Amino acid sequence: MQTIVVRATNGDHHLEGIRQAADILRSGGLVVFPTETVYGLGANAMDGDAVSRIFAAKGRPADNPLILHVSRLEQLAEVTTVVPDAAMMLIHRFWPGPLTIILPKTDSVPGEVTAGLDTVAIRMPDNDIALAFLEECAVPVAAPSANLSGRPSPTSLKDVIEDLDGRVDCIIDGGNCTIGIESTVVDLSRSTPVLLRPGAVTIEDLESILGRVDVDPCVLSGTPCDASTRPKSPGLKYRHYAPKAPVVLYEGDSDCRLSMLSDSIRQYSSQGKTVGVAALRETLSRLSKEKGTQLILKEMGSAADPSSIAAALFSVLRSLDRDHADIILVEGVDDTGVGFAVMNRLRKAAGGNIVKCQPKC
Ligand code: TXA
Ligand code: MG
């Protein structure tokens, strides 16, 4: 399949390109579009055959449902039977934005979108290009992150091309995604709201509006959830966000992180490995004395600005793969606010390879 790339840089919409992409989507094709979180791989949500093509292009398991993207609140009536007050409050506060809400679905949403569940996930992205594209499409657009299944989500055109060139009909180039990690997912279809995936809208943000919010045990466990535990969000049971090289995560006390990272760099280098390190700005300056070994150091934002860490996370993991790191050592961050979402992604990327760093280690 030939993939075309249309330009749509912020501030200058290149509306022609967006129209062309929307035509492709309406006629059953696959279109990758930018959002504020990560790039999405879109199809007409009301066309089950088109939605099936998303699963084939990504290599995604068919039991993992998709998020519907809308540009107008009126579209909710088409896809959900009820919008409770709690959902309206969240929508008024956080849409357009990085928050996905799960509600009971209508019969018109095809089973391919929801993997047979009776609920549907919906969000309105906060990105001018995405909103202009969704307006032109004039149908809800089903879109997972635009990566091959299991890989880190794409936050730039280069990332999308790396995974999906030749597998989709069209890519809208919207530059770099500003947030860098996928939306927060909250289930409002049950009596108590449940957080299924942390993101830039934090649990504290949700609780300030909803009161108590439960956190799905699979989110807290960090590693992929076992299928036998029947995770509420099917995506929770798969290994995710993983670069090709194995990842080791160093979490806990910051001085100890530095010394454990330094020890590991020396140990892996002595085995002849090319060592990739993703660390915070504050730590990197102190690791630079390790230079001279086969070492690739990448900055993953600053501890003083947790959103900079989210924005850098996936692009740094992908760039260490491009640089042919044999092993990737990643510094963990403070587990609060957006840091909770960052650590959720990192723990899954590490798939259980976690070094716990205690004070005075
Ligand atoms: O930021 C985002 O959310 C991006 C952009 C493109 O919008 N999309 C994204 O989609 O991350 P995806 O498919 O990679 O992740 C969707 C998550 C999965 O973990 C899936 O299991 C969950 O949402 N999900 C979707 N529908 C659900 C439902 N009805 N019930 C429970 N979980 C659901
Ligand atoms: Mg994804």
Side-chain angles (χ1 to χ4, degrees):
M1 176 192 291
Q2 168 95 36
T3 301
I4 63 161
V5 176
V6 300
R7 313 262 156 225
T9 42
N10 259 326
D12 173 9
H13 281 174
H14 291 264
L15 250 187
E16 241 351 277
I18 288 179
R19 282 199 192 112
Q20 193 185 351
D23 284 346
I24 292 171
L25 183 129
R26 275 198 308 269
S27 52
L30 298 182
V31 176
V32 174
F33 61 100
T35 81
E36 81 282 33
T37 56
V38 301
Y39 274 79
L41 165 50
N44 177 356
M46 308 320 260
D47 174 349
D49 290 340
V51 171
S52 303
R53 275 178 222 127
I54 293 179
F55 289 85
K58 272 186 69 110
R60 181 178 175 105
D63 68 349
N64 195 1
L66 307 176
I67 296 172
L68 297 195
H69 295 70
V70 297
S71 57
R72 294 168 180 251
L73 291 187
E74 300 89 86
Q75 290 174 293
L76 290 178
E78 199 184 338
V79 296
T80 178
T81 52
V82 54
V83 183
D85 289 347
M88 272 333 285
M89 288 191 287
L90 290 183
I91 286 169
H92 283 308
R93 173 72 182 77
F94 297 111
W95 279 12
L99 177 68
T100 295
I101 297 173
I102 294 181
L103 294 172
K105 84 174 195 70
T106 58
D107 290 340
S108 44
V109 178
E112 286 86 349
V113 171
T114 60
L117 297 176
D118 53 12
T119 54
V120 62
I122 315 161
R123 94 173 185 100
M124 185 186 288
D126 184 17
N127 174 293
D128 289 348
I129 296 165
L131 290 172
F133 171 62
L134 293 170
E135 274 295 293
E136 283 295 321
C137 290
V139 286
V141 171
S145 49
N147 50 282
L148 289 175
S149 204
R151 303 256 302 134
S153 294
T155 56
S156 70
L157 177 67
K158 190 165 145 191
D159 298 346
V160 174
I161 288 178
E162 188 172 71
D163 279 17
L164 295 180
D165 191 24
R167 292 173 164 264
V168 296
D169 298 286
C170 176
I171 301 170
I172 305 175
D173 175 9
N176 293 343
C177 302
T178 50
I179 291 181
I181 54 170
E182 310 83 351
S183 62
T184 305
V185 179
V186 64
D187 186 353
L188 294 183
S189 70
R190 290 173 278 165
S191 48
T192 308
V194 183
L195 180 78
L196 297 181
R197 180 172 71 185
V201 172
T202 63
I203 187 148
E204 294 82 4
D205 292 333
L206 295 175
E207 284 183 332
S208 73
I209 305 238
L210 299 176
R212 185 174 140 213
V213 174
D214 289 343
V215 179
D216 190 279
C218 296
V219 171
L220 292 172
S221 83
T223 49
C225 245
D226 195 281
S228 62
T229 59
R230 298 189 135 272
K232 296 294 178 308
S233 184
L236 295 170
K237 69 173 183 267
Y238 297 108
R239 180 153 185 243
H240 269 322
Y241 321 119
K244 290 174 190 139
V247 172
V248 186
L249 173 64
Y250 296 76
E251 59 174 75
D253 178 74
S254 62
D255 286 335
C256 178
R257 277 188 328 234
L258 176 68
S259 88
M260 301 283 254
L261 274 168
S262 304
D263 288 351
S264 296
I265 289 169
R266 279 179 231 130
Q267 185 203 327
Y268 288 116
S269 300
S270 72
Q271 296 167 9
K273 292 193 165 146
T274 300
V275 183
V277 177
L280 298 177
R281 185 176 309 156
E282 295 78 0
T283 307
L284 266 193
S285 53
R286 297 163 72 192
L287 279 176
S288 46
K289 66 172 170 23
E290 302 291 338
K291 268 188 183 139
T293 53
Q294 285 256 60
L295 180 62
I296 313 160
L297 294 175
K298 301 267 178 193
E299 182 186 309
M300 203 181 58
S302 160
D305 176 11
S307 59
S308 70
I309 304 171
L313 177 68
F314 290 138
S315 73
V316 165
L317 292 181
R318 279 181 177 265
S319 74
L320 287 168
D321 259 349
R322 280 183 204 120
D323 292 346
H324 306 291
D326 295 313
I327 183 140
I328 298 178
L329 314 182
V330 185
E331 181 177 17
V333 304
D334 189 8
D335 215 352
T336 56
V338 182
F340 182 52
V342 169
M343 288 305 285
N344 166 266
R345 307 310 191 270
L346 286 178
R347 288 183 184 127
K348 291 192 179 198
N353 284 334
I354 296 174
V355 177
K356 305 254 186 212
C357 305
Q358 312 290 350
K360 302 204 168 62
C361 67

